[in-house]
Amino acid sequence: MSDRQAIGPYLGSLVAFRRDIHANPELQYAEHRTAEKIESWLTALGMTINRGFGQTGVVATLRGTGLRASDPNCAIALRADMDALPVQELNAFAHASAVPNCMHACGHDGHIAMLLGGAALLARHPTFNGTVHFVFQPAEEGGGGARSMMDDGLFKQFPVQAVFALHNWPALPAGQMGVRVGPIMAAANRFVVTVHGTGGHAARPHETVDPIPIACSIVTELQRLVSRNVDPLDSAVVTVGRVDAGTVANIIPDTATIHGTCRALRPETQSKILAGVQRIATHVAIAHGATAELTVTAGYPATVNHGQEAMFMASVMKEVAGESNAHDDIEPALTAEDFGFMLEEIPGAYGFIGNGTDGRPGVGLHNPTYDFNDDILSLGATFWERLVHQWFATR
Ligand SMILES: [Zn+2]
Ligand SMILES: [Zn+2]
């Protein structure tokens, strides 16, 4: 296991930084204060800062002192996300969110702090042969901040050989890390089915086309979509999270709407599932004399790790966390990540750092009592430092 003591002098200020960000969360594309604070930390380390990618994104560049450090193509990017969620925090500790209905319930405050810790270690001894771009992106939670930064020319202005990211993972004990080759998170799309019937009096259903039982049938049929269409060894999920119809008990409404999400690890499975939603909605509605209209919102692609980069990441995890604490074939999850956009264009890998559950099993990401575990800051910061040194040492 590598020496994690180097982070010692920075740990107090990193914990304070992380808790300050937790107490002052900002929603997607509004991460102004967060970006200011990140810029201050990195400027103090002597780094060049670029702002304005993806509205609130921050890019800091550190050139190593090695022979190839002046070659702009000999570079990698490390990415952290900055946004909080519209969740009312239920924690009572001193650093709980001071903003109503806004909370770092996904631990992105910790992602920022781990990367700033890695930046501090690297800036102190920049003896690597290349350039590192620290990328702090907005709006991971549904806003596609990674895509926005790329659309603003992130990788054109800062060409890189590879890009890496970490997510804190409560299902994994603190002290452990994991990654895998291939899909690690799912493609995700939201959909809305609107069933158009004909409304009327509740006592005269024969004069109406009641959209409510039709919507209920569509929801029931959707439950069979994955089980009868997806290879049992593949993974996908369709969930209806909201159904809206009607106003009062004695009126049959004109329409009913079904809001859902579908997710799959493989793009072809995702396409198959979306086609199935269309087929079921259309034909169940027709069977009952109604029509159905499907709207699919552009979503995130699957986060698909590249082989060499994922195995490289696993080797760094083994070095910093220890052989028995590093998993190179961790189970994927059907959560989604806009880092998938970056991996569509740039080789790289996305891994997990165990957050543990602090003795509270079931308190997972997006829970109103979630909190990033400060005990893993040193492991995360050391991981980023070692990853940079090893990348350029082996290339
Ligand atoms: Zn999240
Ligand atoms: Zn997250």
Side-chain angles (χ1 to χ4, degrees):
M1 198 180 298
S2 92
D3 178 18
R4 273 190 237 159
Q5 290 173 349
I7 195 68
Y10 303 101
L11 208 48
S13 39
L14 276 180
V15 171
F17 192 106
R18 203 286 294 177
R19 293 183 178 187
D20 175 77
I21 296 291
H22 190 93
N24 298 280
E26 293 172 306
L27 295 177
Q28 56 183 28
Y29 293 118
E31 307 92 337
H32 302 290
R33 179 183 182 278
T34 307
E36 286 295 325
K37 293 209 53 150
I38 290 169
E39 178 171 1
S40 301
W41 176 284
L42 295 166
T43 305
L45 296 174
M47 293 191 198
T48 317
I49 312 290
N50 276 275
R51 297 280 295 272
F53 291 92
Q55 302 180 41
T56 50
V58 180
V59 183
T61 298
L62 178 66
R63 292 198 195 291
T65 53
L67 290 176
R68 294 178 301 162
S70 59
D71 179 353
N73 294 316
C74 191
I76 59 171
L78 312 179
R79 169 274 205 177
D81 36 16
M82 304 189 289
D83 56 322
L85 283 157
V87 170
Q88 177 62 46
E89 180 155 5
L90 295 182
N91 289 310
F93 46 57
H95 65 276
S97 172
V99 185
N101 290 316
C102 185
M103 177 194 174
H104 270 293
C106 204
H108 297 180
D109 47 343
H111 299 171
I112 297 167
M114 289 191 293
L115 193 52
L116 291 180
L121 293 173
L122 287 160
R124 199 177 60 156
H125 294 298
T127 52
F128 48 89
N129 298 326
T131 298
V132 185
H133 302 296
F134 300 89
V135 176
F136 296 86
Q137 73 150 79
E140 189 287 316
E141 299 285 1
R147 185 71 257 169
S148 299
M149 288 189 84
M150 293 165 73
D151 290 345
D152 284 347
L154 175 66
F155 295 125
K156 290 189 184 71
Q157 189 164 336
F158 306 105
V160 293
Q161 299 167 298
V163 60
F164 297 96
L166 275 185
H167 205 294
N168 72 105
W169 208 240
L172 201 59
Q176 299 193 12
M177 302 184 84
V179 66
R180 74 193 303 270
V181 174
I184 188 161
M185 281 202 186
N189 289 91
R190 290 183 185 189
F191 64 84
V192 179
V193 175
T194 306
V195 180
H196 296 280
T198 307
H201 199 289
R204 303 185 67 77
H206 54 290
E207 293 170 354
T208 74
V209 178
D210 187 349
I212 291 181
I214 301 170
C216 292
S217 294
I218 291 172
V219 172
T220 305
E221 286 301 319
L222 290 178
Q223 309 310 308
R224 278 199 274 256
L225 193 49
V226 171
S227 85
R228 299 298 88 189
N229 289 273
V230 176
D231 182 336
L233 295 175
D234 194 2
S235 294
V237 63
V238 177
T239 291
V240 171
R242 177 178 160 191
V243 179
D244 294 327
T247 48
V248 289
N250 64 347
I251 298 175
I252 291 170
D254 273 327
T255 60
T257 51
I258 300 161
H259 301 252
T261 173
C262 40
R263 292 148 185 261
L265 288 174
R266 296 164 65 220
E268 54 273 33
T269 308
Q270 182 73 346
S271 305
K272 192 175 186 184
I273 292 293
L274 282 169
V277 173
Q278 173 82 72
R279 198 172 57 244
I280 287 169
T282 303
H283 293 287
V284 171
I286 287 173
H288 297 284
T291 58
E293 184 189 339
L294 173 70
T295 311
V296 178
T297 310
Y300 289 174
T303 300
V304 183
N305 282 335
H306 296 238
Q308 280 187 9
E309 287 71 18
M311 293 317 292
F312 164 74
M313 193 183 230
S315 72
V316 180
M317 288 174 170
K318 283 176 187 160
E319 185 191 340
V320 296
E323 193 85 26
S324 60
N325 288 322
H327 310 276
D328 59 15
D329 191 20
I330 196 101
E331 244 182 33
L334 289 177
T335 45
E337 241 300 333
D338 68 355
F339 192 66
F341 286 118
M342 293 192 175
L343 293 182
E344 283 185 330
E345 286 191 17
I346 312 278
Y350 180 91
F352 298 146
I353 178 165
N355 197 69
T357 55
D358 193 23
R360 300 183 303 156
V363 177
L365 298 172
H366 296 200
N367 182 286
T369 63
Y370 193 71
D371 195 26
F372 179 83
N373 181 354
D374 287 323
D375 290 344
I376 68 172
L377 273 175
S378 63
L379 178 62
T382 310
F383 168 80
W384 285 128
E385 184 219 15
R386 294 312 305 158
L387 181 138
V388 170
H389 281 286
Q390 295 293 25
W391 177 268
F392 293 116
T394 53
R395 272 157 189 86

